[in-house]
Amino acid sequence: MIRTRFAPSPTGFLHVGGLRTALYNYLFAKSHNGRFILRIEDTDQSRKVPGAVENLIETLKWANVTPDEGPEFGGDLGPYIQSQRLEIYRQHIQSLIEKGHAYYCFCSTDRLDALRKQQIAEHRQPRYDNRCRTLSDSDIRKRLANNEPHVVRMKTPETGTIEIHDLIRGNVPFPAEQLDDQVLMKSDGYPTYHLANVVDDHLMQISHVIRGEEWLPSTPKHQLLYKYFGWDSPQFAHLSLLLNPDKSKLSKRQGDVAVEDYRKKGYLPEALINFLALLGWNPGTDQEIFSMEELIHEFSLERVGRSGAIFNVEKLAWMNGHYIRTLSPEKLFQLSSGFLPDRSGWSDSQTISVLTAIQEGLTKFSELPDKTRLFFTEKLNYDIPDIQEYLAKPEAVTILESLVSQMEIVQDFNGDSFVAAIKTVQKTTGIKGKPLWMTIRAALTGETHGPEIHVITNILSQETCACRLQLALDYARRQTSRN
RNA sequence: GGCGCCAUCGUCUAGUGGUUAGGACAUCACGCUUUCAAUGUGGUAACCGGAGUUCAAUUCUCCGUGGCGCUACCA
């Protein structure tokens, strides 16, 4: 049974890199009929953020990367929140101490800091000097009885090489003397990542650990821990990191990193997932668009790349536009709620025709207020250079006077009859082509681009159009008389 | 500094001991469209450097360079 897990710390919003890690775990598990587990690694009390767990779960659900087990998802191997498993860790640390693979350390943080500073000053490798390894049993008992603050460290080998096998990177050797006597239990009684992670992955029967590359250097320590416990270690696969456009590690400051940010801007989960899947993985074919089902079917760790990938928002935007174009009118309307500006006086079905009219040019829902303004606005603004280029001309007065009078006699107002009216204007005024059409577009919408005129006038009422044209005519007259 | 990972168009990537080095985004041109977009067609654009192995290296090996990660009682 393949079992994978996503094990975030609840320190804030879910990061897009985190979502990619979760996704790869999910896809790998699902493609092998396995299970995907969510575990919350909240062993650092100082970094805990209230509400982060709920937000994490909510975001995973939104993205459709839904755990089979985890807090709120059930499962037989819980609890799935590490702060609720302290007793389990305590017992395991005790067994390690008894077997001689771990030891109490009473060194103060002051001493540790001083030690590190000195080592750096002497250009030596900063690491613990193993001082408490050799404490006598009676000494330890006495200091424990005195309630002296202490941690528990693991005993690492002094020499030799520890080689780990990574599914993506192959065999990676690490010289043992590089390994620090890592702290396993902190003085507050909480385990560190290294201990809790190994214990939980074993107890939760995780078969494959798929995580970020930042964990590669500590994997030999984890491997050692499995050996000390007498357990088989899971398989490892370390994913490359997501990068900023300047190739530094993806971070706030250079753009949005929280999944939440993209959701708020109106990116669809399908697009974000499709995009993230292709950042470091490819199917070996030319296919670019994948549904979650297709991803599950196609995904394999063998085709995951080794180098870091820049998070290219432009491609995500293209992909999002692609998914938006496939939306049915009803779905489009449903998803646009929360992004629409005030549209009092507009029914849902009228709103749907507005949305359909601008659908093909939409790349994300946050553009909605801008792109729908020409329909919903109460008052058009002609006082911008692009518009004045057309309306502040004597020609505009001629065109609009003619069109306004046409409006009074037009029958069955709609896109077609309005276009017919424009043709009449063309005949009577002799003005044609871009000057004619753009002037009318400017008058009608206050913008120089948008959907086709007949599409717009199919939606806008005759009254609205007549009113806007009259307003534009007045404006054109004022502008030209002034000059 | 030490240890480790990585290296093909601007970006995501495919690929090979002999290829016109392929696709997608972006970009440019043209078509369609009396606007924009969408769409169609075409174009520009890459094997980090140096040795070695080989008849032949972008591909294999080593070195260098660069980028990144780790080097906490954070994960």
Side-chain angles (χ1 to χ4, degrees):
Chain A
M1 174 71 147
I2 300 290
R3 292 172 58 86
T4 64
R5 84 315 194 259
F6 176 52
S9 309
T11 54
F13 290 117
L14 179 59
H15 191 277
V16 285
L19 179 57
R20 186 184 64 147
T21 304
L23 175 65
Y24 283 24
N25 274 283
Y26 176 85
L27 293 176
F28 183 73
K30 292 296 158 186
S31 66
H32 289 88
N33 287 313
R35 287 169 78 80
F36 170 62
I37 288 99
L38 173 67
R39 184 174 68 228
I40 303 298
E41 310 225 323
D42 59 343
T43 55
D44 187 349
Q45 292 297 290
S46 61
R47 297 210 308 162
K48 227 171 192 169
V49 173
V53 174
E54 291 72 17
N55 182 273
L56 219 46
I57 291 173
E58 162 64 17
T59 307
L60 285 176
K61 282 182 182 167
W62 173 79
N64 261 306
V65 181
T66 319
D68 298 303
E69 296 172 29
E72 281 194 29
F73 299 98
D76 299 332
L77 300 172
Y80 294 91
I81 295 180
Q82 290 188 328
S83 59
Q84 297 170 11
R85 301 171 62 83
L86 298 183
E87 187 48 36
I88 298 172
Y89 306 127
R90 209 162 286 148
Q91 287 167 10
H92 282 86
I93 285 168
Q94 201 53 45
S95 85
L96 242 30
I97 292 171
E98 281 160 18
K99 284 191 240 176
H101 292 308
Y103 59 93
Y104 293 102
C105 169
F106 298 90
C107 294
S108 68
T109 42
D110 285 349
R111 179 179 117 73
L112 261 20
D113 287 346
L115 177 67
R116 194 172 305 118
K117 267 187 198 126
Q118 190 189 341
Q119 286 166 331
I120 290 169
E122 292 169 8
H123 300 293
R124 286 190 293 138
Q125 157 103 335
R127 51 166 296 170
Y128 182 58
D129 59 2
N130 298 358
R131 181 203 249 211
C132 292
R133 263 202 199 199
T134 51
L135 257 30
S136 71
D137 284 355
S138 59
D139 195 9
I140 291 168
R141 267 196 300 276
K142 201 168 65 195
R143 295 171 81 160
L144 250 23
N146 278 343
N147 280 326
E148 275 190 43
H150 62 274
V151 301
V152 176
R153 289 178 183 274
M154 72 183 284
K155 244 181 231 178
T156 54
E158 318 257 352
T159 57
T161 300
I162 297 167
E163 189 165 74
I164 64 160
H165 181 72
D166 185 278
L167 260 16
I168 293 170
R169 286 151 215 286
N171 293 328
V172 186
F174 291 89
E177 69 266 22
Q178 285 291 322
L179 301 183
D180 211 344
D181 273 6
Q182 191 60 238
V183 170
L184 298 179
M185 180 180 273
K186 300 180 260 188
S187 53
D188 64 0
Y190 279 76
T192 57
Y193 171 88
H194 307 284
L195 188 276
N197 189 262
V198 165
V199 169
D200 286 347
D201 281 343
H202 174 75
L203 261 23
M204 296 179 184
Q205 299 169 19
I206 301 302
S207 63
H208 292 73
V209 172
I210 304 168
R211 74 227 306 189
E213 195 183 18
E214 70 268 28
W215 294 111
L216 191 58
S218 49
T219 306
K221 290 170 192 168
H222 304 161
Q223 189 104 287
L224 229 35
L225 250 17
Y226 284 104
K227 196 175 119 193
Y228 291 166
F229 281 121
W231 298 335
D232 288 335
S233 87
Q235 305 247 63
F236 293 104
H238 288 91
L239 267 21
S240 60
L241 269 10
L242 256 30
L243 311 173
N244 289 312
D246 70 354
K247 286 186 185 290
S248 58
K249 186 179 175 182
L250 188 65
S251 64
K252 201 80 191 169
R253 184 91 193 148
Q254 294 204 35
D256 295 316
V257 295
V259 175
E260 198 73 4
D261 296 330
Y262 292 94
R263 182 182 181 176
K264 280 186 189 144
K265 285 188 176 169
Y267 286 89
L268 299 173
E270 291 82 359
L272 188 57
I273 289 298
N274 194 156
F275 173 68
L276 249 19
L278 256 19
L279 234 41
W281 170 85
N282 77 85
T285 67
D286 285 349
Q287 188 176 348
E288 296 275 340
I289 301 297
F290 290 89
S291 66
M292 189 67 99
E293 289 67 36
E294 290 174 310
L295 287 173
I296 291 170
H297 188 255
E298 298 291 326
F299 187 82
S300 75
L301 280 178
E302 290 76 52
R303 294 203 66 86
V304 172
R306 292 157 302 268
S307 49
I310 292 173
F311 190 90
N312 179 205
V313 193
E314 282 177 342
K315 187 156 186 177
L316 171 61
W318 166 77
M319 208 168 253
N320 203 52
H322 170 87
Y323 279 96
I324 288 177
R325 269 170 249 130
T326 66
L327 258 25
S328 69
E330 294 70 28
K331 192 80 182 161
L332 182 66
F333 174 64
Q334 187 192 322
L335 289 168
S336 67
S337 80
F339 292 99
L340 253 15
D342 175 43
R343 53 181 182 98
S344 46
W346 288 77
S347 70
D348 286 357
S349 70
Q350 285 173 316
T351 304
I352 288 177
S353 32
V354 169
L355 291 171
T356 316
I358 57 144
Q359 179 171 20
E360 64 184 10
L362 204 59
T363 60
K364 51 180 188 285
F365 284 90
S366 60
E367 296 165 349
L368 242 25
D370 244 26
K371 302 229 174 194
T372 58
R373 180 169 299 117
L374 71 148
F375 293 102
F376 296 141
T377 188
E378 291 288 323
K379 175 132 178 49
L380 260 23
N381 175 25
Y382 297 132
D383 277 322
I384 52 173
D386 281 357
I387 297 303
Q388 284 170 332
E389 191 184 322
Y390 295 100
L391 293 190
K393 283 179 174 170
E395 238 179 6
V397 178
T398 314
I399 294 167
L400 293 171
E401 271 175 352
S402 172
L403 189 56
V404 165
S405 62
Q406 283 298 314
M407 287 296 285
E408 285 160 13
I409 56 168
V410 71
Q411 300 286 314
D412 298 324
F413 182 85
N414 60 35
D416 291 340
S417 59
F418 187 76
V419 168
I422 296 175
K423 301 272 189 190
T424 308
V425 170
Q426 178 177 326
K427 248 176 245 152
T428 55
T429 63
I431 302 167
K432 56 179 181 171
K434 200 173 167 185
L436 171 68
W437 290 81
M438 284 307 283
T439 301
I440 294 168
R441 172 180 296 283
L444 226 39
T445 68
E447 289 174 15
T448 52
H449 46 245
E452 291 176 44
I453 297 285
H454 77 269
V455 172
I456 295 172
T457 46
N458 258 335
I459 295 169
L460 256 21
S461 69
Q462 181 166 9
E463 292 69 34
T464 304
C465 290
C467 173
R468 288 183 181 185
L469 290 172
Q470 184 61 52
L471 248 36
L473 175 57
D474 297 344
Y475 181 82
R477 281 179 176 147
R478 280 201 306 278
Q479 292 291 311
T480 47
S481 66
R482 187 176 303 163
N483 294 339

